[in-house]
Amino acid sequence: MPRVIIVSDFDATIDTQFKGRDADNSEDRIKVQRELFKLGLTYKSRDYGVFCVPIGESNRPVTEGFISKCGGEIVPHKGAKNVGNYYRYQVTIGRAFVDYDEGLKNNQDLDVYSLVQSTMPQTGLDKKHEKAVVALLEKVLQKEDGIDDSDEEEIVSPTENKDNGGGKVKSNCFDDDGDDDDDDEEEEDDDDPPDLPEWVPTRNVDTIGFEEQGGLPSIGSRVVRGKDWKWGDQDANGPGTVVGHKQKGIAYILWDNDQIGAYRHNLSGQYDVIKSQEPRHVTPGNIEVGCCVIRGTDWNRGDEDGGSGTVGVVVRKLTDRYVMVRWPSRVIETYKFGADNKWDLEVTQDVPHAAGNDQVEEPVARPPSVPPQGQHSEETLKPWWSWMDSRDQWRPFSEQSVAKLEHKMASGLPQQQCLVDYENKPVKVFLSQNICEIGGVQHHVKREMLKADEIESMKMLEQYLEPIN
C-alpha cells in the first residue's frame, strides 16, 4: 500500500516563470492546479495513501481541492511524525506476512494476528504500540489505509468536516485513549437491516494476488482432493475453492471449512486436487467464497460481467457486505451484496463453464480494482494494458498497442503471442502467461477495465516516470 507524503504550501506556480505569488485567477495557475487534481485522481485509482502537510502561507482551497480528488488527508506539521510511525507499523505487518507465506508453503493455517504480535520486538515496538499495530493490520486486511494519532495531534480530513459541524475529524477509528471507536462500530451495525445473516469477511487471503498460471484451474474453480492427496483431514473431506495461483502447478485452495493451503495440480504429474463442479451450499440470503452468482435486482454495471445471464464466482468476501467476483472473461470486480440495502448479485446453482477443463480458458488475467465502498460509476469502462518495469512501476501501452492486444485476445487462443511496441522498442506479449519480453527481459503485464479519466490520468502520470534504458 504505497504512500505519498506532500509537504508544500500548495500555491500552484509555473517554476520557470515564478516572480512572487501568482494571481489567483491566472491562466498558468489554473493550469497547474488542473494537472495537480489529475494527479490526485491517479493516486486514488491506484489506492495510494496520500498525506498533505501544509506549510507556510498555504493555499487552503487548493489543498482541499487536491484532497477531495485523491481521497487523502491533511496532517498538521506538528503531527507529521505520525506518518513515519505508520511506516514502522507497516514494516512489522509486512514481516509477519512473510512468515505467514512460509506457513502456507507447509500447509499451515497460521493466525496473522499472533504473527504480528510476535514480530513487533524485531522492529523495536513494545506493548504500548500493540493497539495501533493491530488496528492498522485490520485496515490492511480490509484494504483500507490510515495511521494512528493516539499520541499526537488530530489529523483532519476536510472532506469529512461537514459531518462534524466543521470541526476537526480524526483519520482513523481510535478515541483519544487509543481504544476502538465504539460509536463508529455501532453506526456501521445500524446500517445493516436486522434480518440479514451475520457477515464474516474472508481472512488470511489478502496477500494472495489474482495473477493466473496456465494449466491450473482458474481462480474461483471448485476442487476436491485428488489421487495424490497426502494432507490428512485439512479439507474435512469436502470441496474447496481456488483463490489464487502460487506458481506453475501449485494453487491456493480455501476449503469450505475455512482452512487454506497450497496444493499441487499437475506439478510433476502429481495431483493433490482436481476440479469439481460441486456447488457451494449456503443458507438463503447468505454468500461465501465459491458461490456462483448472476446479476441481481440492483445491477447497474453494464456488461462488465460479460452480458446478461453470465455466471461468475465469489473469490473474496470483503467488509460491509461487499464481495469480489471473477467472471469468465477474467474480470475481477467488487459488488454489493446487501450493502446500503443494494443487491448487485444473486446466488445461483448454475456454473460458469463446462466441467472437466483444467486449463485456464481465457487469455489474460487482471488484478482486482476495488472501487470505494458505496460508489460505483456507471461510466463506460474501457480495457487498457500496462507492463511493470524494473522499478515496479506500471507503464501503459499506447492506444495502437492496446487495440492490437485486444484484437489478438478476441481470437480466443490463449497460447498466442502479440508483438507491439513501447517507446519504439519491440515488446512481445505472451497472452496466456501475463508477461511480456523487452530486450530479452521479462516483465509482468496486466489488463484493466478503466474509465476515460483514469486512462488519461495514467498517461499523464507516465510523464513523471524515469525513462527506461
Side-chain angles (χ1 to χ4, degrees):
M1 298 171 64
R3 305 175 71 74
V4 179
I5 304 170
I6 302 176
V7 182
S8 173
D9 62 3
F10 291 91
D11 193 20
T13 59
I14 300 293
D15 289 344
T16 57
Q17 303 174 7
F18 182 63
K19 297 179 180 179
R21 188 181 181 93
D22 289 343
D24 289 340
N25 60 351
S26 72
E27 183 177 341
D28 289 338
R29 185 187 189 89
I30 294 174
K31 179 180 178 181
V32 173
Q33 291 176 6
R34 185 183 298 116
E35 293 302 313
L36 179 65
F37 293 165
K38 285 183 180 180
L39 191 61
L41 290 172
T42 298
Y43 288 156
K44 186 173 183 179
S45 70
R46 300 189 177 192
D47 292 330
Y48 289 2
V50 180
F51 290 86
C52 297
V53 184
I55 58 174
E57 297 180 4
S58 60
N59 190 320
R60 188 75 179 190
V62 174
T63 308
E64 294 182 356
F66 179 71
I67 286 289
S68 68
K69 297 294 184 183
C70 67
E73 297 172 356
I74 295 178
V75 182
H77 67 278
K78 292 183 179 179
K81 71 176 183 179
N82 287 330
V83 183
N85 287 340
Y86 175 97
Y87 178 77
R88 295 179 63 198
Y89 299 157
Q90 197 174 38
V91 168
T92 303
I93 293 171
R95 291 184 180 180
F97 279 145
V98 171
D99 294 337
Y100 178 80
D101 287 340
E102 288 298 317
L104 287 179
K105 294 179 181 178
N106 300 312
N107 288 283
Q108 296 177 320
D109 184 18
L110 302 177
D111 179 54
V112 70
Y113 293 88
S114 299
L115 288 175
V116 166
Q117 291 170 338
S118 63
T119 305
M120 287 175 56
Q122 301 177 20
T123 53
L125 301 177
D126 53 29
K127 194 72 175 178
K128 70 180 180 181
H129 296 281
E130 184 173 332
K131 284 185 178 180
V133 175
V134 172
L136 177 58
L137 173 62
E138 288 284 353
K139 294 188 177 188
V140 172
L141 294 176
Q142 297 170 14
K143 297 195 181 301
E144 295 178 358
D145 203 352
I147 67 173
D148 173 37
D149 64 348
S150 56
D151 298 326
E152 301 292 344
E153 294 184 17
E154 292 176 328
I155 296 176
V156 300
S157 173
T159 58
E160 297 176 340
N161 284 348
K162 60 183 179 182
D163 296 328
N164 294 270
K168 290 185 177 181
V169 182
K170 291 186 177 182
S171 66
N172 60 14
C173 58
F174 292 99
D175 290 321
D176 289 335
D177 57 1
D179 294 331
D180 289 341
D181 191 337
D182 295 333
D183 294 336
D184 290 345
E185 293 182 0
E186 292 174 3
E187 196 172 302
E188 289 181 6
D189 293 340
D190 292 341
D191 291 339
D192 285 340
D195 57 337
L196 292 179
E198 179 185 2
W199 188 266
V200 180
T202 310
R203 285 190 170 179
N204 297 331
V205 296
D206 297 82
T207 57
I208 299 175
F210 291 93
E211 184 175 343
E212 293 185 315
Q213 299 279 343
L216 284 172
S218 58
I219 293 174
S221 297
R222 297 286 282 167
V223 296
V224 294
R225 61 171 65 176
K227 63 182 180 64
D228 300 302
W229 178 264
K230 61 176 183 178
W231 306 107
D233 198 37
Q234 291 181 1
D235 61 346
N237 203 23
T241 305
V242 178
V243 293
H245 291 174
K246 179 177 176 61
Q247 64 187 59
K248 188 175 181 62
I250 299 181
Y252 290 113
I253 311 298
L254 178 65
W255 300 106
D256 289 1
N257 64 355
D258 291 330
Q259 299 297 310
I260 187 172
Y263 302 90
R264 298 170 297 173
H265 181 278
N266 196 20
L267 180 66
S268 301
Q270 303 295 303
Y271 286 84
D272 294 328
V273 294
I274 57 174
K275 282 191 67 174
S276 168
Q277 290 300 325
E278 186 169 344
R280 181 72 193 261
H281 296 288
V282 294
T283 57
N286 206 352
I287 196 169
E288 296 293 343
V289 171
C291 284
C292 293
V293 293
I294 56 176
R295 295 182 181 184
T297 55
D298 298 301
W299 178 268
N300 64 351
R301 307 286 287 275
D303 286 334
E304 73 178 18
D305 59 341
S308 179
T310 303
V311 179
V313 183
V314 176
V315 293
R316 299 289 189 273
K317 190 175 177 183
L318 308 178
T319 59
D320 302 325
R321 299 194 172 277
Y322 284 81
V323 296
M324 295 182 71
V325 174
R326 181 198 187 275
W327 301 105
S329 63
R330 296 178 82 169
V331 167
I332 298 178
E333 279 293 351
T334 303
Y335 303 93
K336 296 180 180 181
F337 191 81
D340 304 322
N341 202 26
K342 298 291 185 181
W343 305 87
D344 295 335
L345 309 165
E346 65 177 70
V347 177
T348 179
Q349 293 301 310
D350 295 334
V351 295
H353 44 69
N357 183 0
D358 279 335
Q359 300 297 318
V360 177
E361 298 181 344
E362 301 80 28
V364 177
R366 57 155 298 194
S369 175
V370 182
Q373 294 181 355
Q375 301 179 17
H376 292 306
S377 172
E378 297 184 11
E379 293 184 35
T380 301
L381 299 177
K382 182 178 179 180
W384 209 266
W385 298 66
S386 306
W387 65 280
M388 180 180 285
D389 65 16
S390 59
R391 302 180 183 89
D392 294 335
Q393 300 173 125
W394 287 106
R395 296 178 177 267
F397 285 111
S398 66
E399 287 199 39
Q400 183 178 3
S401 294
V402 168
K404 192 172 181 180
L405 287 164
E406 285 295 303
H407 177 73
K408 184 71 71 172
M409 179 179 173
S411 67
L413 300 176
Q415 300 303 322
Q416 285 195 0
Q417 303 171 8
C418 186
L419 186 63
V420 295
D421 67 84
Y422 180 83
E423 294 184 352
N424 298 321
K425 292 181 172 61
V427 181
K428 183 186 293 185
V429 180
F430 300 87
L431 298 179
S432 64
Q433 302 176 45
N434 306 320
I435 60 173
C436 69
E437 188 175 290
I438 305 177
V441 180
Q442 291 189 343
H443 304 270
H444 289 293
V445 171
K446 70 176 179 179
R447 175 181 183 267
E448 300 177 282
M449 300 299 294
L450 302 175
K451 293 181 290 188
D453 61 342
E454 293 174 332
I455 294 174
E456 292 305 313
S457 294
M458 182 171 57
K459 292 179 180 178
M460 187 273 293
L461 181 62
E462 184 187 21
Q463 302 173 14
Y464 299 94
L465 300 179
E466 295 183 30
I468 62 174
N469 295 327

